[in-house]
Amino acid sequence: MGSSHSQTYKLAEDIRKPAIGAASLSADEPSAHKRRHHHGSDAEQDAKKIHSACKGAGTNEKKIIEVLSSRTSEQRQQIKQKYKELYSKEMEEDLKGDLSGNFEKAVLALLDLPCEFEARELRRAMKGAGTDESLLIEILCTRSNKEIVNIKEAYKRLFDRDLESDVKSDTSGSLQKILVMVLEATRDETQQVNAELAEQDASDLYKAGEGRWGTEELAFNVVLAKRSYSQLRATFQAYEKVCGKDIEESIKSETSGDLEKAYLTLVSCAKDCPGYFATVLHKSMKGAGTDEETLIRILVTRAESDLPAIKEKFQQMYKKPLAEAVRSDTSGDFRKLLLAILH
């Protein structure tokens, strides 16, 4: 067999290509399919670079940024494995010891598979006193079936707990019902649109909501959690005809709080998922103070799915490049790392 030095990356099976038409893609966005393939990179060499960046006095952040930001998530898994073989310790532990603040958080996020990082974020949202419902909604209501399945498996693997049980015990009422339904990961992911079904669903939603309120949430839940995105877009158009206003307006006037947020997130993703994430990123940076955790979460977990489309949307919506917004709202090595991911 050739020397281990010539070993290039093999792609593991968990490469998370979003299904076409799934949460992160609409069929007309081929740009999102371009993956960062870095040929000729070598896990052993990368592991050695990270090790030399950490040892001795002073940490070489530049080298860490260079290696981690230019590799795919799968390749970073292999670097971690090699690191352990070479130095008998976890790369995360060494990096943790040397880094701090938001830069450390972002580096550690990059060392997880996206599904693992999302699982950790969900755990963080539910651990301790109080639940961060917005975080549960942002992750669970925007992912494809495959992504949800991967997140559930990662959650089990990392915490030896069942995600659905945790969500059930940490939420209640209407929000709990919609999240549990989304967690079933049984959304139709075909591209065909059934016009009759769209009319039928639109009229069911109208009857359930505007028609006689005490919202029959079940109708909303089934439609928003189970229909394909292209089907939902047809349903929303039909709904406007029946109702004379768009579905978002009805949701806002008929629901409130976390349920409203969950429904609007589901609608927003069906209409334009990259647009949804562009909006969340913009909110995380506008006004006083930056929500760095949101910045890290979206840039890291979407880097290999729809980040190109999110960048495009951000530019359209806010008339400036996402990188420019990030640059003016962050600093130091944290800024350098995020800009390298956006590059």
Side-chain angles (χ1 to χ4, degrees):
M1 303 297 292
S3 77
S4 68
H5 207 66
S6 66
Q7 173 233 343
T8 46
Y9 291 99
K10 59 185 190 317
L11 292 174
E13 48 303 303
D14 187 35
I15 202 126
R16 299 173 351 127
K17 278 207 180 134
I20 298 263
S24 53
L25 287 182
S26 63
D28 46 14
E29 269 158 15
S31 66
H33 266 319
K34 284 191 268 208
R35 299 181 51 82
R36 301 177 166 210
H37 273 309
H38 293 272
H39 296 297
S41 48
D42 169 331
E44 185 167 329
Q45 234 170 346
D46 285 343
K48 287 176 175 166
K49 276 183 196 161
I50 299 267
H51 187 253
S52 72
C54 291
K55 70 172 203 275
T59 307
N60 186 340
E61 287 86 357
K62 186 171 176 281
K63 206 181 271 186
I64 293 170
I65 293 170
E66 224 166 78
V67 172
L68 296 182
S69 69
S70 64
R71 302 290 177 256
T72 64
S73 175
E74 282 304 331
Q75 290 170 340
R76 292 190 289 263
Q77 299 312 301
Q78 286 162 356
I79 299 169
K80 274 164 54 172
Q81 219 176 322
K82 266 288 168 230
Y83 195 95
K84 198 172 180 175
E85 286 167 25
L86 292 167
Y87 307 109
S88 310
K89 49 188 174 176
E90 302 290 346
M91 189 163 96
E92 296 91 304
E93 295 310 313
D94 282 354
L95 287 166
K96 256 186 207 164
D98 277 348
L99 312 176
S100 62
N102 291 310
F103 180 56
E104 178 192 358
K105 280 183 193 161
V107 164
L108 294 177
L110 283 170
L111 296 183
D112 275 331
L113 287 167
C115 57
E116 293 169 338
F117 184 66
E118 286 152 348
R120 287 186 210 281
E121 288 287 84
L122 291 169
R123 184 80 190 111
R124 181 170 70 84
M126 295 184 282
K127 231 170 57 187
T131 302
D132 182 347
E133 289 85 3
S134 298
L135 182 46
L136 294 181
I137 292 166
E138 182 212 298
I139 295 177
L140 298 176
C141 294
T142 60
R143 300 308 197 254
S144 68
N145 293 339
K146 178 86 171 88
E147 288 171 326
I148 299 253
V149 169
N150 286 339
I151 291 169
K152 290 199 284 195
E153 286 168 0
Y155 195 88
K156 183 80 183 134
R157 191 166 67 239
L158 293 171
F159 307 113
D160 197 25
R161 303 174 66 96
D162 179 65
L163 179 57
E164 198 173 316
S165 312
D166 280 358
V167 167
K168 274 183 185 156
S169 67
D170 265 83
T171 56
S172 59
S174 314
L175 177 66
Q176 181 194 68
K177 289 192 187 90
I178 184 65
L179 292 182
V180 166
M181 201 172 273
V182 165
L183 274 168
E184 288 168 8
T186 51
R187 182 185 296 286
D188 171 26
E189 289 183 342
T190 58
Q191 287 296 306
Q192 290 84 359
V193 172
N194 175 335
E196 271 166 49
L197 179 64
E199 303 280 333
Q200 183 58 54
D201 281 347
S203 120
D204 288 350
L205 292 182
Y206 177 66
K207 283 186 203 130
E210 294 283 327
R212 48 179 172 84
W213 204 257
T215 315
E216 295 290 322
E217 278 146 31
L218 190 63
F220 268 86
N221 290 358
V222 169
V223 173
L224 293 178
K226 302 298 173 194
R227 302 286 186 259
S228 74
Y229 282 169
S230 36
Q231 183 66 32
L232 282 174
R233 291 193 287 270
T235 303
F236 301 153
Q237 282 174 335
Y239 185 89
E240 257 173 81
K241 285 197 193 105
V242 177
C243 195
K245 56 169 153 176
D246 71 24
I247 186 100
E248 286 97 331
E249 278 176 77
S250 294
I251 290 169
K252 283 174 187 160
S253 65
E254 304 300 343
T255 59
S256 62
D258 293 324
L259 181 66
E260 177 188 349
K261 198 178 278 180
Y263 283 171
L264 290 175
T265 300
L266 288 160
V267 169
S268 179
C269 258
K271 285 188 168 180
D272 173 14
C273 218
Y276 167 79
F277 285 117
T279 308
V280 176
L281 284 168
H282 181 250
K283 275 193 197 132
S284 77
M285 293 182 280
K286 73 170 209 269
T290 303
D291 174 357
E292 290 89 359
E293 276 167 343
T294 296
L295 267 185
I296 293 169
R297 184 171 57 252
I298 295 177
L299 296 184
V300 168
T301 62
R302 310 313 293 175
E304 288 175 47
S305 53
D306 51 1
L307 192 55
I310 293 169
K311 281 156 63 171
E312 220 168 286
K313 268 291 175 222
F314 193 94
Q315 173 74 49
Q316 274 171 24
M317 292 165 79
Y318 305 108
K319 305 290 175 260
K320 66 169 165 187
L322 177 54
E324 193 182 298
V326 168
R327 184 178 291 119
S328 65
D329 259 62
T330 54
S331 61
D333 293 315
F334 178 54
R335 171 202 279 165
K336 286 179 192 146
L337 179 55
L338 294 186
L339 292 176
I341 293 171
L342 278 168
H343 183 56

